[in-house]
Amino acid sequence: MKYCTRCLYPANHPLYLTFDDHGVCSGCRVHEEKDILNWEIRKKKLDKILESYRNKSGNSYDCIIPVRGGGDSYFVTHVITKIFKLNPLLVTYNHEYNTKTGIRNLANLLTVFDCDHINYTLDPEFVRRLVRHTFRKFASMYWHILAGTLTFPVQVAVKFKIPLIIWGVHGWSDQVGMFSHLDEVEMTEKARKEHSLMGIDARDIISEKDGVTRQDIQPFIYPFDEEIERVGVRGIYLSNYIRWDSKKQHERMIKLYGYETAKQQRTFNTYEDVDCFHSAGTHDYIKFIKYGYSKVSDHATREIRLKRMTREEGIEMVKKYSEKIPSDLPVFLKWSGIKRWKFFSYLDKWRDKRIWQKDKYGKWVLKDSVVNHIKDLNVSKVRLVKIEDCKFIITPSREPGEKEDKYILMGRGYIDKYNYKAVFDDQLAIQKNLKKTKRHISRLLEKDWGNFFIKDERTPKEMVFCKKCVMSSSKPGLYLNEDGICGACVSVEKKKLINWDKKKAELKQLCDKYRGSNGNGYDCLVPVSGGKDSMYQVWEMKKIYNMKVLAVCIVPHLQTSEGIANLNSLVKKLNVDLIKISLKPSVFKAIRRKTFVKLGNPNWADHASTFSGVARTAFMYQIPLIVWGEDIAVEFGGTTSKKRVASAKDIIKNDLILNRSVKDFYDDIIKPENTYFYKYPQDEDWDKRKIKSIYLGYYHNWNGYEHYLLAKKYGFQSRKLGCLSGNILNYDNIDEKLCEIHIWIKFLKYGFWRPTDQCCYHIWNGRMSREKAIRLVNAKQYEFPAEYYRDFLEFHGITEKQFWKIANKYRNRNIWHKVNGKWKLKYILK
Ligand SMILES: [Zn+2]
Ligand SMILES: [Zn+2]
């Protein structure tokens, strides 16, 4: 085998190399441009390109950046947001071989770079089928990752009409010198297929035998030329405009943003592949079996060209790493269900016979290796002079001692001081300090914070309790009839008269109409949170009505570990695809803070972004049907409509939104261009797109407890440490941490909160007597939700004093008074 006289690359490099008269490869020659080109001029050129795209998209984002928890993601995002000050939409195709380090890196990236983000996760069972198929067919466990990573951003670009995609390094130029930097080569469908996907396109992998259908592979179908042209999508590589030095770039990212690195088993480069179990493990070993060289040659070659390693030092690295059997192989075999001997026998067919042969015992051995080419002719003639040392840093782990022993399908979305682990919470610490925190808070609760309280048209003057349940007339919009029975109880009675079989038939008809109506796309969209109800909704649409479901989750900023686990179970056990939308933290915080101060309603941003983000996604994907859960106005007797309706198009007008739009909160931080997911589509858009939005509660007798029982069968976990303060259920609203205090403020305004709501559920569904409910409410309602108190303060950046001053302003003096120095309700439930 011929090897480059300067680097370590062999002639059988799959991306094709040429050698010059001195035996130097095309990759090394193009690399020389890095020290010749005027990078200041190149950067100006980039500036010009970026400038022409600024705000051009008209829908708020300037460009798209594909990101993951490793690789060049930090650097690219840094360049685009901090140096060129563009407003990107970050996108991730979830490769599903995630390590905890990768999860933490991605969560940290979203937190520190403060951008909107979309993450696409495919049904892991399908991914498993697909990987088995691509492995058998062409010995690749990585095809879906390459295809997904290169397709999803382009799909999003077309759907969101964002014409510019920013990629990091153009690997083919950097490795083998396929193009000069001056060619300014861009990402195209042809390049994607020929260079990245080994000539194999999505349509080539449909297989009836392995259960990979045309509909399944939709996520890997590149948009049509006409769509690309209509939006004018182009994908540029930063490495054509910035002198690329991955090692130096990573070291800056470690310093500036706390990027985490990790030891790698088959290479000395600890920076790049930290997010994936297999990239530098089994996947790399497969490359070695195919071509007789592996990542360590790529990494050493790069360092040789950047004059940080001699060719001889590089060869030592190859000796040390290339033949190592990867320790992650058992994880892959177990997951994929491929037997070890089969794994090797499939691979044997793909050995490049130019480099592999069988010895007399029938064992595969390398015919040659760069190790045999240390002193080739011309090596000393073309040698680059080493100018610095090559040390790769291993950063301390954020979760020291944590084992990396299985894939994390999805983990935490953001991190902060208290919530920084890939999945787990420090709940035990919370529990341990709970008593102390409660004592501390009880003093603050009763302290004199002034006598002023904020009144509006919704501020109740009194509390009258329903004679059937324990709900109070102080609930906005709730009415009591002349018998003293509340609207919700009336609604419960009416529900008993509904012919549910007929409703079911209506739903079936609806599903029959929409099933398959969207070509190879999704039939319906189900908003999910990781709660029991969303699991039920997905289950019903998928298992009962056989719909192709896309689940959409607006990621809670402070997720609990149960919330994370439940979202994982939903996707894994109900086998659906999921889009996770993460919102720019600064804007989300600013809106929450503002609505907390101005309206005593910190969760407004959560509600607005859920309703709008879900609708936006349905519009983007042209999904004809959105399936919401219950209509709160009907089930709980709210204001908006007392009539039971199927259509959820007006969900944005419900009680949670308080007739406000995000425009009401615009300021220096909350701006039109960064509130895309808070804006609900207009009525005329709904008509134009012919998208239907429904409440499942209209067709199905809603029963939270039964949903809980069903969800449990699919892996739903209730709260491990039992009920939160003030709660009587351990399975309701347990997926995130910011909601509890929001609900508690309701207690100040209206005189009831969780215990009343939860007891009412039980009464309405015939599982609790009114007497028991009275006892429970009176015993529980004065508890303060101390568990996530410090999270709440920290998240909104407010002090305790500010918090209590604001909270006190919402304490409704019509219904509250002080008894023996303690705040008590004037109206006692009995
Ligand atoms: Zn070379
Ligand atoms: Zn009632």
Side-chain angles (χ1 to χ4, degrees):
M1 181 68 60
K2 190 174 168 57
Y3 290 85
C4 174
T5 46
R6 179 177 287 167
C7 71
L8 310 181
Y9 277 147
N12 71 334
H13 193 299
L15 298 175
Y16 308 113
L17 284 168
T18 55
F19 295 93
D20 68 8
D21 295 346
H22 292 98
V24 178
C25 77
S26 43
C28 284
R29 285 304 179 203
V30 165
H31 199 274
E32 288 170 1
E33 291 179 3
K34 285 195 185 177
D35 294 328
I36 298 166
L37 289 174
N38 182 331
W39 290 103
E40 271 312 305
I41 292 177
R42 309 240 16 99
K43 202 171 159 191
K44 277 191 188 128
K45 203 154 182 201
L46 172 64
D47 191 18
K48 228 170 138 184
I49 296 172
L50 297 179
E51 208 42 55
S52 71
Y53 284 94
R54 196 184 290 274
N55 279 328
K56 198 180 159 193
S57 61
N59 71 358
S60 74
Y61 301 103
D62 300 322
C63 60
I64 284 175
I65 308 177
V67 295
R68 58 191 176 95
D72 301 320
S73 304
Y74 273 63
F75 181 70
V76 176
T77 315
H78 165 81
V79 169
I80 293 303
T81 60
K82 306 287 177 182
I83 298 177
F84 291 100
K85 311 251 182 260
L86 258 59
N87 175 28
L89 174 63
L90 307 182
V91 301
T92 300
Y93 169 81
N94 185 357
H95 58 59
E96 306 195 8
Y97 298 144
N98 297 306
T99 59
K100 284 182 183 157
T101 311
I103 295 284
R104 290 193 302 266
N105 269 340
L106 185 58
N108 183 50
L109 183 146
L110 301 184
T111 309
V112 298
F113 288 109
D114 194 32
C115 297
D116 286 349
H117 176 237
I118 301 185
N119 192 334
Y120 191 27
T121 300
L122 297 180
D123 163 21
E125 187 45 45
F126 160 66
V127 170
R128 205 172 69 97
R129 281 201 312 272
L130 180 61
V131 167
R132 284 169 62 95
H133 176 62
T134 58
F135 186 76
R136 276 206 286 257
K137 203 163 173 193
F138 41 89
S140 174
M141 61 185 287
Y142 233 66
W143 185 90
H144 87 94
I145 297 177
L146 298 170
T149 309
L150 295 173
T151 311
F152 181 56
V154 186
Q155 288 184 344
V156 173
V158 167
K159 289 184 200 307
F160 283 71
K161 300 189 177 58
I162 305 169
L164 184 64
I165 305 174
I166 316 273
W167 302 92
V169 64
H170 187 260
W172 308 274
S173 296
D174 213 57
Q175 283 193 19
V176 297
M178 190 179 284
F179 301 98
S180 153
H181 294 88
L182 297 172
D183 293 337
E184 292 171 19
V185 60
E186 299 193 356
M187 222 289 266
T188 61
E189 181 179 15
K190 190 165 164 274
R192 179 192 77 128
K193 181 178 167 183
E194 287 176 7
H195 307 150
S196 312
L197 303 182
M198 303 160 273
I200 298 148
D201 199 17
R203 289 175 186 86
D204 305 330
I205 59 156
I206 298 172
S207 157
E208 232 170 76
K209 190 175 135 249
D210 287 334
V212 179
T213 67
R214 173 62 188 79
Q215 193 178 38
D216 288 335
I217 58 152
Q218 188 61 21
F220 307 113
I221 300 283
Y222 208 78
F224 294 122
D225 286 350
E226 307 89 74
E227 296 176 288
I228 300 225
E229 276 158 28
R230 202 181 318 127
V231 181
V233 179
R234 60 189 280 209
I236 62 166
Y237 293 94
L238 281 191
S239 63
N240 285 328
Y241 306 95
I242 290 170
R243 185 183 184 276
W244 211 255
D245 183 340
S246 171
K247 180 171 181 285
K248 288 254 160 81
Q249 289 160 0
H250 273 97
E251 281 158 7
R252 251 180 97 201
M253 297 304 105
I254 294 168
K255 225 173 173 172
L256 288 174
Y257 307 109
Y259 177 78
E260 273 188 66
T261 68
K263 193 170 185 298
Q264 300 294 312
Q265 35 171 339
R266 291 181 41 83
T267 175
F268 58 90
N269 180 328
T270 55
Y271 296 173
E272 269 163 49
D273 301 299
V274 297
D275 59 319
C276 179
F277 254 88
H278 303 308
S279 181
T282 301
H283 172 57
D284 183 50
Y285 187 63
I286 292 173
K287 173 169 165 164
F288 176 67
I289 291 185
K290 284 181 175 174
Y291 305 108
Y293 83 96
S294 58
K295 252 183 210 292
V296 65
S297 291
D298 293 329
H299 293 154
T301 289
R302 202 189 288 160
E303 297 310 314
I304 292 168
R305 290 170 180 172
L306 288 164
K307 302 172 193 163
R308 285 192 287 255
M309 201 178 255
T310 63
R311 192 167 179 271
E312 292 70 26
E313 285 167 344
I315 289 172
E316 278 307 307
M317 290 295 160
V318 170
K319 270 197 215 163
K320 185 172 169 189
Y321 289 108
S322 65
E323 294 189 41
K324 253 191 188 173
I325 302 276
S327 60
D328 57 304
L329 181 58
V331 179
F332 175 69
L333 296 177
K334 191 177 167 207
W335 172 79
S336 64
I338 297 171
K339 292 200 172 67
R340 195 181 169 91
W341 67 269
K342 271 203 166 163
F343 175 87
F344 285 102
S345 79
Y346 283 136
L347 277 182
D348 281 346
K349 288 184 223 142
W350 290 86
R351 287 190 196 254
D352 185 340
K353 303 293 177 336
R354 285 172 293 177
I355 190 78
W356 289 102
Q357 64 183 11
K358 277 192 174 169
D359 67 8
K360 57 182 176 185
Y361 308 105
K363 200 181 153 217
W364 286 103
V365 288
L366 282 173
K367 284 183 188 170
D368 202 357
S369 151
V370 72
V371 175
N372 306 330
H373 295 263
I374 300 179
K375 290 189 175 139
D376 277 6
L377 185 70
N378 285 332
V379 162
S380 46
K381 207 178 199 172
V382 299
R383 176 186 298 284
L384 297 172
V385 180
K386 184 175 151 181
I387 51 171
E388 30 175 331
D389 274 341
C390 182
K391 274 206 186 83
F392 279 78
I393 303 164
I394 297 180
T395 58
S397 166
R398 282 196 173 86
E399 282 181 86
E402 270 296 305
K403 266 197 203 131
E404 293 274 17
D405 52 4
K406 56 173 186 281
Y407 307 151
I408 310 284
L409 182 64
M410 292 176 285
R412 197 176 301 286
Y414 306 91
I415 63 168
D416 66 22
K417 201 164 116 194
Y418 304 121
N419 307 279
Y420 56 88
K421 295 186 173 179
V423 174
F424 290 105
D425 274 339
D426 228 345
Q427 288 208 17
L428 281 172
I430 299 168
Q431 203 70 7
K432 231 169 87 188
N433 289 320
L434 198 57
K435 267 193 183 154
K436 220 170 96 191
T437 317
K438 282 193 166 177
R439 268 202 307 277
H440 169 69
I441 293 169
S442 68
R443 281 196 295 274
L444 296 169
L445 254 171
E446 313 304 347
K447 208 170 148 177
D448 183 12
W449 297 104
N451 224 351
F452 171 70
F453 92 94
I454 297 174
K455 279 178 261 194
D456 63 21
E457 72 278 6
R458 293 157 63 100
T459 306
K461 303 236 175 351
E462 56 169 7
M463 292 175 75
V464 181
F465 297 99
C466 171
K467 285 187 177 149
K468 229 172 178 174
C469 66
V470 287
M471 195 44 82
S472 156
S473 63
S474 54
K475 182 184 170 95
L478 191 91
Y479 68 93
L480 295 185
N481 66 16
E482 55 264 38
D483 299 327
I485 309 293
C486 79
C489 283
V490 172
S491 168
V492 167
E493 286 309 309
K494 275 195 200 151
K495 247 172 100 173
K496 288 181 187 154
L497 303 175
I498 292 173
N499 181 345
W500 290 108
D501 288 338
K502 207 176 127 211
K503 295 275 180 213
K504 230 181 218 169
E506 275 176 48
L507 181 57
K508 186 179 175 294
Q509 214 173 27
L510 199 68
C511 291
D512 288 346
K513 179 178 159 195
Y514 287 115
R515 195 180 308 104
S517 71
N518 191 19
N520 288 306
Y522 297 101
D523 298 324
C524 73
L525 182 159
V526 178
V528 301
S529 63
K532 63 188 194 319
D533 290 334
S534 42
M535 242 166 157
Y536 176 80
Q537 282 156 250
V538 170
W539 175 84
E540 170 139 356
M541 294 322 286
K542 174 143 184 165
K543 304 277 179 188
I544 304 291
Y545 296 104
N546 195 23
M547 301 284 272
K548 171 101 178 153
V549 175
L550 175 68
V552 174
C553 173
I554 312 295
V555 182
H557 209 101
L558 298 186
Q559 287 167 289
T560 58
S561 31
E562 287 91 347
I564 295 170
N566 289 337
L567 198 57
N568 273 286
S569 295
L570 183 143
V571 171
K572 280 185 198 166
K573 306 237 165 114
L574 289 168
N575 304 113
V576 283
D577 299 345
L578 173 76
I579 290 217
K580 284 206 299 178
I581 299 170
S582 307
L583 301 168
K584 193 177 168 83
S586 63
V587 173
F588 183 67
K589 282 182 195 197
I591 301 176
R592 283 190 56 100
R593 217 183 125 105
K594 211 168 203 174
T595 56
F596 171 50
V597 176
K598 285 197 161 171
L599 308 167
N601 192 308
N603 271 32
W604 187 91
D606 307 57
H607 300 135
S609 61
T610 299
F611 299 150
S612 308
V614 162
R616 289 266 169 215
T617 311
F619 276 56
M620 289 305 152
Y621 276 78
Q622 310 266 21
I623 301 175
L625 183 66
I626 305 175
V627 183
W628 292 96
E630 62 207 325
D631 179 355
I632 55 160
V634 171
E635 305 289 339
F636 308 115
T639 37
T640 19
S641 87
K642 279 160 199 121
K643 234 180 82 198
R644 186 170 278 277
V645 289
S647 173
K649 200 183 86 186
D650 288 337
I651 195 163
I652 198 70
K653 294 177 186 156
N654 84 12
D655 274 357
L656 302 170
I657 298 301
L658 308 161
N659 285 322
R660 298 285 199 303
S661 111
V662 72
K663 290 180 187 144
D664 302 335
F665 307 118
Y666 280 172
D667 60 20
D668 290 349
I669 297 172
I670 310 161
K671 289 189 275 195
E673 66 265 29
N674 57 29
T675 47
Y676 181 78
F677 286 110
Y678 297 88
K679 290 171 205 146
Y680 198 70
Q682 303 287 321
D683 278 355
E684 56 266 30
D685 295 333
W686 286 95
D687 299 340
K688 211 162 62 194
R689 302 279 191 126
K690 297 194 167 54
I691 288 172
K692 195 173 171 79
S693 181
I694 59 163
Y695 291 112
L696 196 53
Y698 176 80
Y699 301 97
H700 152 85
N701 197 352
W702 204 257
N703 187 331
Y705 182 68
E706 276 171 17
H707 298 169
Y708 164 63
L709 296 179
L710 180 115
K712 254 183 20 179
K713 284 191 202 151
Y714 290 92
F716 179 86
Q717 301 178 2
S718 45
R719 191 167 183 273
K720 283 207 186 81
L721 292 168
C723 298
L724 285 162
S725 298
N727 282 248
I728 61 157
L729 304 179
N730 63 357
Y731 56 79
D732 209 23
N733 292 298
I734 56 161
D735 56 319
E736 62 92 48
K737 303 180 177 177
L738 291 171
C739 191
E740 281 309 293
I741 287 190
H742 167 84
I743 300 289
W744 176 79
I745 291 168
K746 205 165 93 171
F747 189 38
L748 305 181
K749 290 176 168 178
Y750 309 122
F752 73 95
W753 70 300
R754 287 258 194 254
T756 301
D757 287 333
Q758 293 177 349
C759 284
C760 282
Y761 271 136
H762 275 330
I763 295 176
W764 296 334
N765 289 305
R767 285 190 307 270
M768 193 182 276
S769 67
R770 190 168 186 275
E771 290 65 39
K772 187 168 178 200
I774 291 171
R775 267 203 319 277
L776 277 172
V777 170
N778 286 331
K780 284 281 189 184
Q781 63 180 351
Y782 291 108
E783 287 182 6
F784 178 84
E787 284 87 351
Y788 305 130
Y789 170 67
R790 65 171 190 176
D791 284 296
F792 191 93
L793 299 179
E794 177 90 10
F795 183 79
H796 298 96
I798 49 177
T799 61
E800 287 202 296
K801 200 169 153 187
Q802 285 168 324
F803 174 82
W804 289 106
K805 273 196 153 163
I806 296 162
N808 183 64
K809 286 179 189 165
Y810 289 99
R811 197 185 282 275
N812 178 355
R813 308 301 199 275
N814 297 334
I815 57 174
W816 286 94
H817 62 168
K818 275 208 163 175
V819 180
N820 298 329
K822 286 198 167 165
W823 283 110
K824 292 282 170 199
L825 286 169
K826 292 180 187 168
Y827 302 88
I828 294 165
L829 174 65
K830 46 189 177 193

